[in-house]
Amino acid sequence: MRLFKILPVVTLVVAGILYLSNIAWAHGVAYEMVETSPAVTFKSGFSSGDPISYGQVLIYAPDNAEVEFQNGRTDRNGVFSFLPDQPGVWKVEVDGGLGHKLIFDVEVAGSDKNELAAHKKEAPLQGSIEIRALLGISLIFNLCLAASYLRARRKVTAMKKIDG
């Protein structure tokens, strides 16, 4: 019977979480390699699936981690390309704004044809299972906490009516 009393509150809380879920999912960032020879092309995005549009990109060469080899911005789809001029591990930084920063390495190896290819690839852009699990646990915990609060509040109200 108590479940029916808190059902409207639970419905409002769940609706609010679903409404704000795009904001919550935007906290993670990821990338995937699109093309790797001869130019290195990658796509960056948030864990919600939205691209990091016009994010600032810094590329650092293997022999100089202090001064960027190239800088620029991703396109509206979160895609960026650069043409490495030597083999080695290249450092890539993508700043999506509001503290969303993506840093990863791309290993580039020379070949007989003097072409460069990236060997390290990340998983495709997608929401992390760990983040989804934590969000689910948090949701259950918060619903239980809200139910406990309402139960205690009703007891206090009932006690005041009896005493009053």
Side-chain angles (χ1 to χ4, degrees), residues 25 47 126-137:
W25 286 121
S47 57
Q126 59 186 354
S128 169
I129 292 174
E130 292 85 9
I131 292 174
R132 290 180 184 194
L134 285 174
L135 184 61
I137 291 169

Short mmCIF file of all heavy atoms in Angstrom, two decimals, residues 25 47 126-137:
data_model
loop_
_atom_site.label_atom_id
_atom_site.label_comp_id
_atom_site.label_asym_id
_atom_site.label_seq_id
_atom_site.Cartn_x
_atom_site.Cartn_y
_atom_site.Cartn_z
N TRP A 25 25.26 12.01 -19.62
CA TRP A 25 26.07 11.15 -20.47
C TRP A 25 27.21 11.90 -21.13
O TRP A 25 28.17 11.31 -21.58
CB TRP A 25 25.21 10.50 -21.55
CG TRP A 25 24.33 9.42 -21.04
CD1 TRP A 25 22.98 9.37 -21.13
CD2 TRP A 25 24.71 8.22 -20.37
NE1 TRP A 25 22.50 8.25 -20.55
CE2 TRP A 25 23.54 7.51 -20.07
CE3 TRP A 25 25.93 7.68 -19.96
CZ2 TRP A 25 23.54 6.30 -19.40
CZ3 TRP A 25 25.92 6.46 -19.30
CH2 TRP A 25 24.75 5.79 -19.03
N SER A 47 30.41 10.40 -24.69
CA SER A 47 29.87 9.05 -24.50
C SER A 47 28.39 8.98 -24.84
O SER A 47 27.85 7.89 -25.00
CB SER A 47 30.12 8.58 -23.06
OG SER A 47 29.56 9.48 -22.14
N GLN A 126 31.05 4.94 -27.88
CA GLN A 126 29.84 4.42 -27.28
C GLN A 126 29.86 4.73 -25.79
O GLN A 126 30.88 5.06 -25.24
CB GLN A 126 29.73 2.90 -27.48
CG GLN A 126 30.89 2.14 -26.88
CD GLN A 126 30.82 0.67 -27.22
OE1 GLN A 126 29.85 0.22 -27.80
NE2 GLN A 126 31.82 -0.08 -26.87
N GLY A 127 28.71 4.63 -25.15
CA GLY A 127 28.62 4.86 -23.73
C GLY A 127 29.29 3.72 -22.98
O GLY A 127 29.18 2.56 -23.33
N SER A 128 30.00 4.05 -21.94
CA SER A 128 30.70 3.06 -21.15
C SER A 128 29.72 2.24 -20.33
O SER A 128 28.79 2.77 -19.72
CB SER A 128 31.69 3.79 -20.23
OG SER A 128 32.20 2.91 -19.27
N ILE A 129 29.94 0.94 -20.27
CA ILE A 129 29.09 0.05 -19.47
C ILE A 129 29.26 0.37 -18.00
O ILE A 129 28.28 0.33 -17.24
CB ILE A 129 29.44 -1.43 -19.77
CG1 ILE A 129 29.03 -1.78 -21.19
CG2 ILE A 129 28.76 -2.36 -18.77
CD1 ILE A 129 29.44 -3.15 -21.65
N GLU A 130 30.47 0.71 -17.58
CA GLU A 130 30.71 1.05 -16.18
C GLU A 130 29.92 2.28 -15.77
O GLU A 130 29.34 2.34 -14.70
CB GLU A 130 32.21 1.28 -15.92
CG GLU A 130 33.06 0.05 -16.05
CD GLU A 130 33.50 -0.24 -17.48
OE1 GLU A 130 33.29 0.61 -18.37
OE2 GLU A 130 34.06 -1.32 -17.71
N ILE A 131 29.89 3.29 -16.65
CA ILE A 131 29.14 4.51 -16.34
C ILE A 131 27.65 4.20 -16.25
O ILE A 131 26.96 4.68 -15.35
CB ILE A 131 29.41 5.60 -17.40
CG1 ILE A 131 30.84 6.08 -17.30
CG2 ILE A 131 28.44 6.76 -17.24
CD1 ILE A 131 31.24 7.03 -18.39
N ARG A 132 27.16 3.38 -17.15
CA ARG A 132 25.74 3.02 -17.11
C ARG A 132 25.41 2.23 -15.84
O ARG A 132 24.36 2.43 -15.23
CB ARG A 132 25.36 2.20 -18.34
CG ARG A 132 25.37 3.03 -19.60
CD ARG A 132 24.99 2.21 -20.80
NE ARG A 132 25.12 3.02 -22.00
CZ ARG A 132 24.62 2.68 -23.16
NH1 ARG A 132 23.98 1.54 -23.29
NH2 ARG A 132 24.76 3.47 -24.20
N ALA A 133 26.29 1.33 -15.45
CA ALA A 133 26.06 0.55 -14.23
C ALA A 133 26.05 1.47 -13.01
O ALA A 133 25.18 1.33 -12.13
CB ALA A 133 27.13 -0.52 -14.08
N LEU A 134 27.00 2.40 -12.94
CA LEU A 134 27.04 3.33 -11.81
C LEU A 134 25.80 4.22 -11.79
O LEU A 134 25.26 4.50 -10.71
CB LEU A 134 28.30 4.19 -11.87
CG LEU A 134 29.60 3.49 -11.48
CD1 LEU A 134 30.78 4.41 -11.72
CD2 LEU A 134 29.55 3.06 -10.03
N LEU A 135 25.34 4.66 -12.94
CA LEU A 135 24.14 5.47 -13.00
C LEU A 135 22.93 4.67 -12.52
O LEU A 135 22.09 5.18 -11.79
CB LEU A 135 23.90 5.99 -14.42
CG LEU A 135 22.72 6.94 -14.59
CD1 LEU A 135 22.89 8.19 -13.74
CD2 LEU A 135 22.54 7.32 -16.03
N GLY A 136 22.84 3.41 -12.90
CA GLY A 136 21.75 2.56 -12.45
C GLY A 136 21.77 2.33 -10.95
O GLY A 136 20.73 2.42 -10.28
N ILE A 137 22.95 2.06 -10.39
CA ILE A 137 23.08 1.86 -8.94
C ILE A 137 22.72 3.16 -8.21
O ILE A 137 22.03 3.14 -7.20
CB ILE A 137 24.50 1.39 -8.59
CG1 ILE A 137 24.71 -0.03 -9.12
CG2 ILE A 137 24.75 1.46 -7.10
CD1 ILE A 137 26.14 -0.51 -9.07
#
